[in-house]
Every structure is written in structure tokens, then in C-alpha cells.
Amino acid sequence: MTSAIKSKAKVVAPMPLDVTPRELADEILKDLRYRVGKDASVATSYDWLAASIKAVRDRIVDRWINSTKQAYEAQAKRVYYLSLEFLIGRLMRDAFSNLGMMETIREALELLDVDLDVIAQLEPDAALGNGGLGRLAACFMESMATVGVPSHGYGIRYVNGMFRQEISDGQQVELPETWLDHGNPWEFERRERSFEIGFGGSVEAAEVQDGLVERHVWKPSEHVLAVAYDTPVVGWRGNRVNTLRLWSSMPVDPILLDKFNAGDHVGALEESNKADALSRVLYPADSHKAGQELRLRQEYFFSSASLQDILQRHLSQYGELRSLPDKAAIHLNDTHPAVSVVELMRLLIDVHGIEFDEAWDMTKRTFAYTNHTLLPEALESWPVPLFERLLPRHMQLVYEINAQILLEARATGNFDDGQISRISLIQEDGERRVRMGNLAFVGSHSINGVSALHTDLMKETVFADLHKLYPDRINNKTNGITPRRWLFQCNEGLTGLVREAIGARFLDDFEALAELDKFASDKAFVEKFAAAKRVNKQRLAQVAAERLGVKVDPSALFDIQIKRIHEYKRQLLNIIEAVALYDQIRSHPERDWVPRVKFFGGKAAPSYYNAKLIIRLINDVAKVVNRDPSVRGLLKIAFMPNYNVSLAEIMMPAADLSEQISTAGMEASGTGNMKFALNGALTIGTLDGANVEMQEHVGEDNILIFGLTAQEVAERRANGYKPRDVIESSPELSQALSAISSGVFSPHEPGRYRELIDGIYNSDWFMVAADFDSYAATQRKADVWWTDSPLWYTKAIHNVARMAWFSSDRTIREYAREIWNVRV
Ligand code: 26V
């Protein structure tokens, strides 16, 4: 029946993209009147924003429906990307630009006396993610649409995304982000696409017919509804439009009438409140312990809804499930959706009657898993009692799978008891816990790291034993970034220049960017490049003046570190070096100091004490340094509040120097590093994550590498590292640390940073002291490079030209060919 209906659906010629500004202006006016319900004379800027989006959205919808239909008819394999985070940012510019309608819409709005840039500012950031992992998911969605992979992203439609950060008295304050306040013109609510999700209750074993086959029936004690909200994801030139499907939770019974009628008006809303909590808020921690029950509920809620949806789609098209692994690749973005492995097993076995062994084979062929961090505190595990209480049937399946895996490992005769206990899905020492990384690993045919170094370390550390058992599963897929958002949209000046120099081919074939390399020493090009950079720096200077009241000189070297605040990312190393530089500038006024502005930005997890203290320290140091006349403006420090995707789009293009200074071995990849280099900044960084591969691409002469390697860090830690000795042998470091520790930057509370600095003297897990001298010396080398301005820009242009490989199109093609088995 369904196929008969579907075959009647026609491919409609999509609305044209090459309208004139006048025609588009008329459409916008019509949308303003009939879809927003306003006349131009009373329309607010928000109304114009809504009408403009709706006018362009119609064109997207046509292409969206055609993309879906085409994948259906070709019986193409679909990719399902399961992620608890999608850090999308604003969508309007992305959509207009990918459809090639930016100029038309700008002119159309001019005809209506509306400024596109003004209304664009009103669009809130969709901040449904914490940092790198969530932004990568957003870049991947755009690249999948661009390279032609039929795909669906699945996640949660958080009402409150990432918190808004304000800085008050130098300290981070967290405020709720209400991105849906003015509605969301991009999404389509699909009430009809809803699924029941169960929690708790018990499992009953039922004998089937002849008494031989046992079937399990899970009887949950609680239910919520997952309702789909779809957002179209437009690929470059609008050739393909995919779907981001986010689940919102709703009560099955919005009001418990029995309770209400009995006078219990609060109790009557119990279900409603419980359901509401599930999709209310994003956990604002990245690589930091969450551990709460609500988090596990969120993980199961979106995993179960997504899998029910996937199976329903598959069944309606193919009428059976055994072909699932050939027609669906389900990707686990970190372990957050790892419970999907046992949910698919439950659905196949308990609901669809497939035998355990066959279900397990299908599951492994369907799933793939990406690991995004090796930090022990970010490796998820759930207490067995909690897991069992919320998901009793899944707990049984975990045990059953575990028994098989351990049997298999023992049968090889290659594993001792220690190794067996590390392979187990259950951690047995101390509190018993379900290890989600191990579950994702055994349930997937592919496990990948996100940079070459990170993948090697995965094999040597967290997954060493599982890798020995399944040596063919771990592979590397170095991260990438979408050049549409991170070059074409955010840096029109540089994009225009590149186009003038090498022609427009790189817009469609990003590898062609390499042709820019030969312009690196072309005097005229270098001058234009420097001028474009200056415009971007002026724009940032203006934003800093507006938001911070700090005046900065656009001709100074703009040195930027923007990312989540975390000890391993070492914002502390950066600010300590700034203090040392401050001291040097004051002690040696006779030297030719390079004028520098050090920008910082980033959010700390609300419960992460040291990260918040580091934000405070940066602001305290800024207050003293920026006001000190003896510095003569040679050093300025600016902490930009509320770092998010939109602020990144202003800061990346304005950077001269990109700070990528994590303790080697700790940053899985980094993607900000790629965005900066693509926008013509030089990197100062350690040999960590993707920095290693960036050095290979841009060449040693065009990057500033310093510090211990990952191997050296491991050796120093193993051999009894003594930070105190290191500090005592470095006069600059000693001086800077004692200034901070003694209250030079916190005179009203001299002890504010004592413990933080004592931590460096006493343990220094993140090797701040060990890397300090090397870092400071490399900063002075950067000064020397900067002083020879044409040389600096030549290096910067080499960086731009050689970043083509770091496009997420390349990454997605590798996933498609080597993991998902999808043709691109
Ligand atoms: C862990 C947890 C633990 C519990 C609470 C919530 C939560 C949220 C996220 C995470 C894992 C974060 C891992 C992560 O963001 N990794 C980053 O992934 C980037 C994309 O692969 C990569 O570039 C960064 O180096 C890596 O830190």
C-alpha cells in the first residue's frame, strides 16, 4: 500500500534559485503578510527575518522532498548520525549562501529598506552542543549533504541549549539560553512521527508455542513520547538536502485526570513535568563527569526514538529487517548513544522475533563508533544498579553479550585475567559499572579515532585489549571542517581574493585551493592578503570595543585562544606567559617589543572549579595589564564573553596567531586549529591531535611547534616529574608564578590563586612548567617572524593553500568509503 502511494508522488521541479531581487522582494512581502500576518508598515525586524527565511525556505523544501524521494527510489543506503550534540550556530547565512542566493536576498531586502546584516544578527545561535564534538557533527551534516550522502542526523531538541556566559566582576556567570523565544522558522514539527519510550518496570519471560523458544517482554513502568522536529540541511549549491531530526519529549498523559479530580492538582502534572525534563537542557559539561540519572535517560530516550524511527522507515520500504545492515549505517558519535547497541538488539529479538546470534551479527554490521577523547573522566560508565533499574531488559542483554565476548577472548588463549577484566563490559573493581566505550566497541564493526596520533593512542591505551581481540576494527579518520561556513561565509574578503587569484573552481572542488600556494610570494597578492586580514581585525576590534570597552590596535599581532576552558587545553600556560611578557616589557623598555593583543574566549563547565578560576585569572591579569601605562599599549588582554559559533565566525578570520597548546596526548584532534589556519593564521602549538598532521601539510617552516611530545609527556610522568625543580631553573617562570600566587593581580584577595599555582609546583599533571620555557621562546620566535611582515604573510598564505585536505568533505568521503560502505 505504501509503495503504491509513494510511486504516485511526483518529482516537482523545484522553485528556481535565479530569481531577480524584485521578484524575491515581492515574495518576501507576500510571506510577511500571509505567513507572518503583518503589513510592512508595522513589521518588526524579527518579522522581516521570519519572512525572509520563509521565502528562501520554500526553495529548500522542494529540494528536500526531491532528495528524499531520489534516495528512496534508488534504494540507496542511508547514513544515520546519532549525536547528543549538534552545535549548528545560525542557519540563515548558511542556507542563503549554499543556495547561492546571498546577493539576491541582500538586494531584495534593500528594495524593502531592510538591512540583511541587521536582521541576520537577530537569528539566535542553535547552540545544541558543548564544543568540538557538537560542532564536528554540524560540519559533518553539511558535508554529507554536499558530497551527496543520503543521511539523517538524530539528536535532542533541547529547549535550553548551551548556557549564555556573562562575565561579572571577572567571573563566569551562567544564564539560560532561550533560543526558541521567537519561534524557529527552520523546523517542521511532525506530531505524527512520535514514538513511546519506556523506562523502569520489569521483564517477563514468556514461552512461545512449543515451549522451546523463550521470549522476553519488557513491561516499563513509565512512558514518554518522543516527537520529531525536522530541520533541512542544505548542501553546497542546494544539490542535496538532508534531514536533522531532533526529538522533543512529551507526556503520554499530559494531565492525570484521576489525580486532578481528586484535588491533587500538582500530582496531576507529574507526568508532564517528568517528560518535560528530558529534552529541557543540554548537559553543559564537555569531558567532565555528568553521571546523573537524567543524562542516562536522555541517552536512552533519543537512542530508542531514533532506532524505532529507522526500523519503521526500513520496514515500510523493504518489508523485512534482515537487509538492514545493507541499507542503513548507524553512526555513534562518541558513547552517548551507545545504549543503541542493546536497544537495537532488544527491538530485533523481542519485538521482531529474530534470534540472538543473527541479531548480534546484524547489529555489528550496522553500527560504527567514533571515540572523541581519551580523558578518563569523560569515558562514560553507568552504575549497574541504575542501569538495571531504568533499563532492566537492556541490562540482561549487556550480560548476555558480555558472556559471549569473554568466552571468545578466553578461547583464544591470548588473554590473562587482567586483560579479560579490561575487555569486560562490566567494570568489577569498586562499584560495578557498565562501560559504554566497551559496549560501543564490541557492537560496532568500525571504531575510529579523530586524528592519527589519537588513533594510535587509542590502540595503546583505553582500547589496547579490545584492539588485541579485534585487530581490524580500529581505524583513523582525521577530522575536518566545512569550508562553506569556515571560509566562504565567515571570510568574504579572503574568499574573494582567492577567487580572483585562482578562479572559482575551488568553490566546488576544494582541493583546488592548493593552487593558491604559488601566490604566497607574489608581492601584489601578499599586500591584498594583508589588507583583507586587516579588515577582519578591524571588525574584531570594533566588537571588542562594544562588548568589553577595550580599545585594541588592529596593527598589533592578534594572538587568539578560543575553545572550552579546560586544564588540558592550558589557557593557564598562555596567561602565565602573558604575565612573564608583561614583566619583560616593563623591565626592558629599551627593547623593540612587538605589539600584541591576546584574545581569549570559552566557557567552563559550571561545576569545574579550576576552569572557572582560570577565567577569573585571565580577567584579573587583563585588568592590571591593560591599565598599566608603562606597558605603553604593547600588550593588551581581552577575554571575549559568551564564545559561540557566531563569535567564532568573527574571531577566526581576524587571527594572526592561533593558540593550540594542549598537553601533548590529550587533545584528540582539535578543529579550531584548522579553522584558524584556513583563515590565514599561523599556529603556535604542541605536537598534539591534528596539529601533527597540520605540520605535515603546511611544512615545518610555516608553523610554530614547541614542547614535549606525547611520548615525552608519558615518560616524564612515569619517571617522577618534579615541577619544582623545573620552575626553580626558570627565572621568568618563577617570577610570573610568584606574582600570580602572591596577589599582584588580585590585591584585594591576595590568596585567590595560591592553590592553583601550588598545584603547578606540587604535581603539574598538565606539564605547564615543563613546557613553559619552550613556549615562551617560541612566542619570541613568532615576534621575529612578525617583524618581517611580507615573510609572515607568505607563511600565512601557505597555511591557507595547504589546508584543503582538512575539509570535512574529505573526512566524510573517507567515512563513506571505508566505514559506511556508501558510494560517493
Ligand atoms: C563527555 C561528556 C561526559 C559527561 C557529560 C557530558 C559530556 C559531553 C561530552 C563529552 C565528550 C566530549 C568529547 C569531545 O568533545 N571531544 C572533542 O572532540 C572533537 C571532535 O572530534 C575533537 O576535535 C577534540 O579534540 C575533542 O576534545
Side-chain angles (χ1 to χ4, degrees), residues 85 130-134 136 283 285-291 295 334 336 371-373 377-378 380 450 479 568-569 666-671:
E85 305 192 10
N130 274 285
L133 167 142
L136 186 78
Y283 269 88
D286 139 298
S287 316
H288 204 65
K289 274 223 167 345
R295 170 84 179 180
D334 217 291
H336 314 154
N371 172 280
H372 293 270
T373 179
E377 65 269 33
E380 287 191 299
V450 291
N479 283 167
Y568 85 81
K569 294 178 187 280
M666 301 193 84
E667 188 70 271
S669 162
T671 44

Side-chain angles (χ1 to χ4, degrees), residues 38 46 104 163 166 251 295 359 391 425 434 525 569 588 791:
K38 287 277 185 84
Y46 278 104
T104 318
F163 65 80
E166 280 186 7
R295 170 84 179 180
L391 304 167
L425 302 185
V434 183
F525 186 83
K569 294 178 187 280
H588 301 285
L791 182 73

Side-chain angles (χ1 to χ4, degrees), residues 626-682:
N626 294 352
R627 279 184 198 160
D628 187 337
S630 65
V631 175
R632 293 164 290 138
L634 290 168
L635 177 62
K636 283 264 166 82
I637 295 168
F639 187 96
M640 301 292 289
N642 201 35
Y643 177 59
N644 60 9
V645 173
S646 291
L647 185 55
E649 288 167 7
I650 297 172
M651 295 186 78
M652 297 292 175
D656 295 308
L657 191 61
S658 151
E659 299 270 352
Q660 308 301 334
I661 60 176
S662 51
T663 314
M666 301 193 84
E667 188 70 271
S669 162
T671 44
N673 45 3
M674 303 167 190
K675 292 164 199 164
F676 276 113
L678 182 58
N679 282 280
L682 303 197

Side-chain angles (χ1 to χ4, degrees), residues 472-544:
D472 301 331
R473 289 196 193 177
I474 297 187
N475 62 93
N476 179 57
K477 297 286 168 281
T478 300
N479 283 167
I481 56 172
T482 167
R484 269 73 62 187
R485 184 176 291 258
W486 298 112
L487 182 62
F488 308 168
Q489 289 161 39
C490 73
N491 201 340
E492 283 179 20
L494 179 55
T495 306
L497 270 189
V498 174
R499 191 179 176 149
E500 252 175 55
I502 64 169
R505 194 163 69 89
F506 77 106
L507 298 173
D508 297 282
D509 172 11
F510 203 58
E511 291 287 327
L513 183 65
E515 291 164 25
L516 191 70
D517 218 37
K518 55 179 180 289
F519 289 87
S521 311
D522 176 319
K523 199 161 167 277
F525 186 83
V526 167
E527 276 167 23
K528 285 192 234 166
F529 182 92
K533 177 62 80 178
R534 194 179 164 86
V535 170
N536 294 334
K537 289 168 74 174
Q538 277 162 340
R539 181 172 61 160
L540 175 57
Q542 198 182 330
V543 173

